[in-house]
């Protein structure tokens, strides 16, 4: 029997079958689609409820693929004090988003997507491979346009650059783009080698030892762990730019 004939015969059986037969057919063929759809709906409802029933956000920071070694409540309290967070306001340092683990990746991507769509996420800290995808979508702020002169002097040697000329020409999908731009260290991500360099991030060290990258404070490294260097970025729709840059000063040990 031809495949189409089999399909028509099966469809007729379901069309004229009992409710129990129809329900069994649906569950057998659409079980995982249904479960996935319900999970996505629940996730969206939960995040929307969270966004609409919380204190006014002064800053939302997403630490992607970060391991929280200890309870970070004391560290968060220190940041809140530094930023001057008051009653009715909220600082969020989200460090549970892991897109490398098969069991958490789907949920983490859902959270990231919804937070970004809601214009809630201000700062994203992640490794270069992750950040590169967002830089190609023109979703990160050129830090040279929002930093003070003091901060420019402080961080300019550690900027993470992307070449917008390559992005506009669609070269980011080519191997040559990775070869030309994403070399892995601030030293090699040189603006002199780019046609239209844009500083969209700051390299952050993952140890408290002096080195080629901006050195974070020991407090940050005691609470949050990355296996390699990461990049601090500021999303283009952020309404908390000043607080975000204050947070950068705090984690890099320049709080005063």
């Amino acid at each position: 029997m031809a495949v189409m004939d089999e399909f028509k015969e099966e469809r007729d059986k379901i069309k004229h079958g009992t409710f129990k037969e129809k329900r069994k057919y649906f569950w057998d063929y659409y079980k995982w689609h249904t479960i996935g759809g319900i999970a996505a709906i629940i996730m969206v409802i939960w995040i929307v409820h969270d966004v609409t029933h919380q204190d006014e956000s002064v800053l939302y920071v997403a630490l992607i693929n970060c391991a929280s070694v200890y309870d970070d409540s004391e560290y968060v309290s220190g940041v809140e004090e530094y930023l001057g967070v008051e009653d009715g306001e909220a600082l969020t340092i989200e460090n549970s988003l892991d897109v490398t683990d098969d069991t958490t990746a789907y949920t983490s991507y859902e959270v990231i997507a919804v937070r970004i769509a809601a214009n809630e996420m201000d700062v994203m800290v992640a490794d270069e491979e992750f950040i590169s995808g967002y830089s190609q979508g023109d979703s990160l702020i050129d830090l040279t346009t929002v930093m003070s002169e003091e901060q420019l002097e402080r961080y300019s040697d550690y900027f993470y650059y992307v070449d917008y000329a390559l992005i506009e020409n669609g070269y980011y999908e080519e191997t040559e783009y990775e070869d030309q731009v994403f070399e892995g260290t601030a030293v090699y991500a040189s603006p002199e080698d780019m046609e239209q360099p844009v500083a969209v991030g700051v390299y952050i060290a993952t140890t408290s030892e002096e080195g080629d990258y901006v050195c974070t404070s020991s407090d940050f490294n005691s609470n949050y762990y990355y296996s390699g260097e990461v990049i601090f970025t500021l999303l283009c729709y952020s309404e908390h730019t000043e607080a975000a840059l204050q947070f950068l000063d705090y984690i890099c040990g320049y709080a005063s």
Side-chain angles (χ1 to χ4, degrees):
M1 182 183 294
V3 174
M4 286 304 298
D5 291 338
E6 291 181 359
F7 174 76
K8 290 178 180 179
E9 182 178 326
E10 186 69 19
R11 185 181 60 182
D12 289 338
K13 288 181 181 179
I14 298 303
K15 183 178 180 181
H16 300 290
T18 65
F19 174 77
K20 183 178 180 180
E21 290 172 335
K22 291 179 180 180
R23 184 178 62 181
K24 183 179 184 303
Y25 175 84
F26 179 86
W27 186 247
D28 288 343
Y29 284 88
Y30 297 101
K31 175 172 60 178
W32 295 114
H33 297 79
T34 303
I35 292 174
I38 292 174
I41 292 172
I42 292 174
M43 177 64 66
V44 171
I45 292 174
W46 172 75
I47 293 178
V48 170
H49 179 274
D50 185 46
V51 170
T52 57
H53 292 77
Q54 64 179 3
D55 294 334
E56 180 182 356
S57 176
V58 297
L59 187 66
Y60 186 103
V61 179
L63 304 179
I64 312 297
N65 302 334
C66 170
S68 180
V69 182
Y70 303 109
D71 176 12
D72 65 345
S73 58
E74 185 176 347
Y75 183 82
V76 173
S77 295
V79 180
E80 289 176 335
E81 182 178 355
Y82 179 67
L83 296 181
V85 178
E86 301 177 349
D87 291 340
E89 298 178 331
L91 162 72
T92 301
I93 301 179
E94 177 61 72
N95 63 331
S96 63
L97 302 174
D98 187 350
V99 299
T100 64
D101 189 309
D102 292 340
T103 60
T104 61
Y106 180 81
T107 301
S108 295
Y109 274 121
E110 283 284 327
V111 172
I112 293 169
V114 174
R115 295 292 186 188
I116 290 178
N119 289 349
E120 186 185 27
M121 190 180 294
D122 299 296
V123 173
M124 186 181 293
V125 179
D127 60 28
E128 188 172 11
E129 181 179 359
F130 186 89
I131 294 298
S132 68
Y134 284 89
S135 67
Q136 296 160 15
D138 197 23
S139 59
L140 304 178
I141 287 181
D142 179 353
L143 295 178
T144 64
T145 65
V146 293
M147 282 185 170
S148 65
E149 291 186 6
E150 182 180 10
Q151 288 173 324
L152 287 172
E153 182 177 356
R154 181 178 294 162
Y155 298 114
S156 60
D157 289 341
Y158 310 102
F159 278 152
Y160 168 74
Y161 292 92
V162 295
D163 192 340
Y164 264 57
L166 294 180
I167 292 175
E168 291 172 355
N169 291 330
Y171 291 159
Y172 61 84
E173 296 180 351
E174 304 292 339
T175 302
E176 64 180 283
Y177 186 72
E178 181 176 348
D179 293 342
Q180 294 181 50
V181 183
F182 302 123
E183 296 289 350
T185 68
V187 176
Y188 292 108
S190 174
E192 290 79 9
D193 299 329
M194 301 178 183
E195 181 179 343
Q196 189 180 344
V198 178
V200 297
V202 173
Y203 279 95
I204 298 175
T206 54
T207 70
S208 57
E209 298 178 1
E210 294 291 343
D212 293 332
Y213 302 99
V214 172
C215 181
T216 59
S217 67
S218 58
D219 286 344
F220 181 84
N221 290 293
S222 295
N223 286 275
Y224 310 107
Y225 173 77
Y226 284 98
S227 59
E229 70 275 2
V230 290
I231 300 170
F232 173 100
T233 62
L234 183 54
L235 293 162
C236 62
Y237 53 75
S238 172
E239 297 179 356
H240 308 116
T241 304
E242 182 178 353
L245 294 177
Q246 285 182 297
F247 178 69
L248 175 63
D249 285 342
Y250 190 91
I251 63 177
C252 290
Y254 293 105
S256 60

